[in-house]
Amino acid sequence: MRWLAARGAAGDAREVAAPGADIWDCAQGWSRSSWRLIDLCAIWEPGVFLPSAAADGSRASTGVGKSRPNEAEKLSTVRKAHIERHKASRACGLGSREQGLVLRMARQQAPPWVHVALIFFLLSLGGAIEIPMDLTQPPTITKQSVKDHIVDPRDNILIECEAKGNPAPSFHWTRNSRFFNIAKDPRVSMRRRSGTLVIDFRSGGRPEEYEGEYQCFARNKFGTALSNRIRLQVSKSPLWPKENLDPVVVQEGAPLTLQCNPPPGLPSPVIFWMSSSMEPITQDKRVSQGHNGDLYFSNVMLQDMQTDYSCNARFHFTHTIQQKNPFTLKVLTNNPYNDSSLRNHPDIYSARGVAERTPSFMYPQGTSSSQMVLRGMDLLLECIASGVPTPDIAWYKKGGDLPSNKAKFENFNKALRITNVSEEDSGEYFCLASNKMGSIRHTISVRVKAAPYWLDEPKNLILAPGEDGRLVCRANGNPKPTVQWMVNGEPLQSAPPNPNREVAGDTIIFRDTQISSRAVYQCNTSNEHGYLLANAFVSVLDVPPRMLSPRNQLIRVILYNRTRLDCPFFGSPIPTLRWFKNGQGSNLDGGNYHVYENGSLEIKMIRKEDQGIYTCVATNILGKAENQVRLEVKDPTRIYRMPEDQVAKRGTTVQLECRVKHDPSLKLTVSWLKDDEPLYIGNRMKKEDDSLTIFGVAERDQGSYTCMASTELDQDLAKAYLTVLADQATPTNRLAALPKGRPDRPRDLELTDLAERSVRLTWIPGDDNNSPITDYVVQFEEDQFQPGVWHDHSKFPGSVNSAVLHLSPYVNYQFRVIAVNEVGSSHPSLPSERYRTSGAPPESNPSDVKGEGTRKNNMEITWTPMNATSAFGPNLRYIVKWRRRETRETWNNVTVWGSRYVVGQTPVYVPYEIRVQAENDFGKGPEPDTVIGYSGEDYPRAAPTEVKIRVLNSTAISLQWNRVYSDTVQGQLREYRAYYWRESSLLKNLWVSQKRQQASFPGDRPRGVVARLFPYSNYKLEMVVVNGRGDGPRSETKEFTTPEGVPSAPRRFRVRQPNLETINLEWDHPEHPNGILIGYTLRYVPFNGTKLGKQMVENFSPNQTKFSVQRADPVSRYRFSLSARTQVGSGEAATEESPAPPNEATPTAAYTNNQADIATQGWFIGLMCAIALLVLILLIVCFIKRSRGGKYPVREKKDVPLGPEDPKEEDGSFDYSDEDNKPLQGSQTSLDGTIKQQESDDSLVDYGEGGEGQFNEDGSFIGQYTVKKDKEETEGNESSEATSPVNAIYSLA
């Protein structure tokens, strides 16, 4: 980025540099001499006359920290401020040049004096005209102490009161509303030529004896002025009471509050927490200090026991810090090992065995609270919550959003601060504390009251003899303040009567004032929250105009800046002031010029053509006076080739370029800074006009280098960074890790090839900041119709830097260019010089021409005005023509400079032909189109007649009427409208709403239908005709009665099932009976799934509201439908279903239903028989296997006989255990629990030796259990055994 600076350099008596106010709009602080920097961010925003808030604003939005800075961290604030300042330098978007070799720059924050001076400057522009001190005048208070004046008891007391006047005023004081005799107290004295009190305690005395309320009176022969009532208080710094604090024992994870309870001081001390060894207590989301000074732990961890905690109070006047005895913590824990590795654990609480808890509020208590704040003060809302994990705090406002421009989050989001509170900030705010276990909220009701504040503060009144004037004292507040007038310090009621003075509440009116009317008036407005006191004198003078500033000043200012030409003057009567340029032309005011009340002429953006001699002329009835100011416009100082970041090896030579373009009439000075300090040019450095060369680069040369090119009016800065590498190191590309950014603004715009309808615009691209420029957007601004407003003109590819622009006639163009890359848009370039195209007659006319009446006797003709690019010439105006359409009378015409014209005294609602044609000084536009408009409408004069009503049914009627005559409508007939209301119900004791309803029938029609009526009711109806103005008179009121209808559904129909046998029904009467109820009808049907039973019907009397149903079976449910009846029939039904049985699930019910459906099917009977036969066969197989069970000898492996050593073998048999019968992988279990191998139907016979297997009587197999034979043998054995019925049945097993 670059800086542009302006400096006020004093010359001879006839030449002064541009005053500081010339560039207040963009002032930025610069610490050397009288330099003031101009922030380019603000300069190029037309109409903005405020210092750039880029630096402050950046910190204001991000600096949401603790409510009080930790005093122990103040030593690093200078370093932090430097970092923040560097960050803020990017806020305005000038960027930093970081492509190729990167250019880095910085901006410094504007010091406080810049903002203070700006405030005084702005006040001076609109302030009252001052009376020169050589003229007689009443006294005016110029300086006084603050209302609440707190003093240091170690120093002498000073109560300030200074005033001016001619003759010089004398002073006296009151204390506690009684005269304070200064001469009687040797310690009290008054400064010479001043009313300031000095109370000296060098010879002893107690300052507390002088506390009280003081008021200063300044008096001369023309009146008396009063100071505010100054409340004097002595600062107090009480000692902290001594106390012994026991160790605080707390369970890990529990919340904890360490109370500070500081001694009350005046003013209140600043509270901060440290350890007894003066180490700051680290605060975060879990541990933080509240606004009341207490230290809150949302949950205590074992690590909190590693230090102690001491509350400290710093007192402002004594500059002392008092320390409370420290708290020591003893944390009880389930995990006594404070493993430091757990601190970075993603879930440290579970790792340490701390139970998780939902949030709860530590401050404030409960779910709601209220708070009152005064307007203009800061509102601080605070919510501190406990919980495990530590809760997050979020803030909301009910019914709206938080004020984004005033709301700041502090203390890790636990506090919400709203600055400069106003009435619209009142309402309900709530904080939401949440963690993964849940959330809670606390609502704070905020009420905004207000001490009195000025709406119209009384100002000094300077009148000529015989003139009229008024003093106005208007203030607001909450509660509404009262106003009391005084004159020369005495209540106005007790002052001598003045026939030329009239008091009307908050205004004093003076008529035909004379010299004797001179006095000082005081307005005191107050409520319970404070007061305001203002002095305003009435001075009667007869003085011709005079100039108060030196004559023929020279003002030099930089191109494109904003400047102010001062012309202080005085006269009575107050003169009128006009400005002229070069002694000719009209009065300068409007467009690029603005004249303030005090006579200053502001030029919003200086151009080359603004150079010249400006004359201000002040005139009243006694004469005139004039003064001249010569304005010279200088080109800005600009570094067009800036130094770039470089990486160099130690011992090499580096050259930093800095080429400057400046105004040749100004002396240029180029200097260098290193790390923001003046650079000493030693033997190894050579400084030239356009470069700095460093020979034999050493490591100490590494750092930032700033080229500062300055003249007596401005300066430009550019910064680059030099990195020095050791010999063995390899240079690296510093750009590799640089982030992409928005491009720098284009610069050096130039207009060439000037033609009547085109111009070529050329610019120098700015740095693309590591992201190629994709587009350039060219914008233009014109200074006639919308000065200061920029419009898009055209768009060009990022590869070009020159383009031909097509222009419209008679537009004073000024261009700027914006570069665009994938990151975003650059800030606009500096504007080009202006170029005005020649004029021509308009080629079009205004659009959207309309003629509509706003009153009954007028027609307002409006249109969309043409913009600057379609005006084509100066003095764009519009020729408006109109005539009655029917009469074809001659055209009426008028020339209008705005966008509307009102034709008066027109008949009611008649058509007009309208034409609007554009015209400028070069001629008229094309013939305009004719548009039809209408004059204003009046209310209709007649009502529909012969209104007939036919009842269609219980809820609808048909209407028929005679249409009104068109001449009685007096406008465009929009609709016929029926107003109707329900007068009563035919049912006794039934309350009805008599609210009026309406039915609309658009257009000119004689009939319509009104529906959605209530049956069995008495209605009344009226009809009107409606046009664009409103309703006409009402017709005769008609009455009709709707017949009985069907009732609405019974209310609150309830089905209960106390047991499996009974279902109870209950209901209430219908909300709208719509007739006389004759009973209820209940229809109900049992159902089971999709099967429905027989429907049953029950009828009840109109008074019965209960019924019980006995269930036929415990499985079926019931569907009930209940409706009420009148003579007309049954109304809407209420339906309900009985609840499902408690132990019955939906799938079971469905299965039962299917079973019931197929029980009688033939195929189902056959299937059941087959299943029964299969079960019988299985039972036979089980019987055979059971009779065959027992023991049989088995070899565990192939042909290996059982050895006698086998412990399980006793009688040659092996007993099968459950373990041996476990299925193999891939086997299937048969119905009787035996194992059946997949892809095999081998019987146990296959595992014997041949097919001669025998069975014992107990079913055991006789023989050896051998390996299975191969496939061929097995198949043969199966064939041989097939004839055995026993084997066949066994195979099934």
Side-chain angles (χ1 to χ4, degrees), residues 409-422:
F409 300 107
E410 300 178 354
N411 200 14
F412 311 99
N413 268 32
K414 298 178 186 180
L416 170 66
R417 183 181 298 274
I418 300 178
T419 59
N420 192 21
V421 169
S422 56

Side-chain angles (χ1 to χ4, degrees), residues 983-1037:
E983 187 72 17
S984 62
S985 172
L986 294 179
L987 294 173
K988 294 182 179 181
N989 302 324
L990 181 63
W991 179 88
V992 297
S993 171
Q994 296 183 342
K995 179 181 178 181
R996 285 178 174 258
Q997 296 174 286
Q998 66 183 44
S1000 297
F1001 310 104
D1004 190 9
R1005 54 199 290 188
R1007 61 179 59 86
V1009 174
V1010 178
R1012 303 184 68 177
L1013 301 173
F1014 284 99
Y1016 212 54
S1017 300
N1018 295 317
Y1019 275 89
K1020 290 185 178 181
L1021 179 142
E1022 298 171 342
M1023 290 204 67
V1024 297
V1025 63
V1026 182
N1027 64 12
R1029 187 75 184 275
D1031 294 1
R1034 297 177 183 259
S1035 69
E1036 179 185 357
T1037 302

